[in-house]
Amino acid sequence: MKEIAKEAWNYTFSEQQPGDYILSVVCGGVGLYDFVIRLTATQVADYKREGIPYISRLAEQVRHDQTPFDRQKM
């Protein structure tokens, strides 16, 4: 697995194999946990178009509400 970007206490963005991207987001309040998702084809296209700023925004969305990302959870 190749780490692409990391922000301490925020997220880690990695490429597991070519074209297979994983985002691990630190979530929680009193108790912290990692919520890990595999990016969809649309999210990969957005990342390739916008770069790391897109990943930072996606991490914030995941942290705010994990429910929309349940299907992508690893």
Side-chain angles (χ1 to χ4, degrees):
M1 187 175 308
K2 174 186 167 189
E3 187 176 287
I4 298 171
K6 183 175 186 173
E7 285 188 20
W9 301 101
N10 190 359
Y11 70 82
T12 302
F13 180 57
S14 305
E15 187 174 28
Q16 193 168 23
Q17 45 191 319
D20 186 20
Y21 295 95
I22 306 299
L23 179 62
S24 176
V25 181
V26 178
C27 299
V30 174
L32 297 178
Y33 60 95
D34 286 327
F35 192 87
V36 182
I37 63 169
R38 175 173 277 118
L39 270 63
T40 65
T42 301
Q43 291 166 334
V44 170
D46 290 343
Y47 159 63
K48 289 186 176 188
R49 185 176 58 255
E50 300 178 40
I52 297 302
Y54 170 75
I55 297 302
S56 294
R57 289 193 312 276
L58 181 59
E60 284 301 317
Q61 291 173 2
V62 171
R63 182 174 299 103
H64 179 69
D65 183 9
Q66 293 87 49
T67 306
F69 301 95
D70 280 342
R71 290 179 144 181
Q72 296 172 252
K73 189 175 180 184
M74 294 185 60

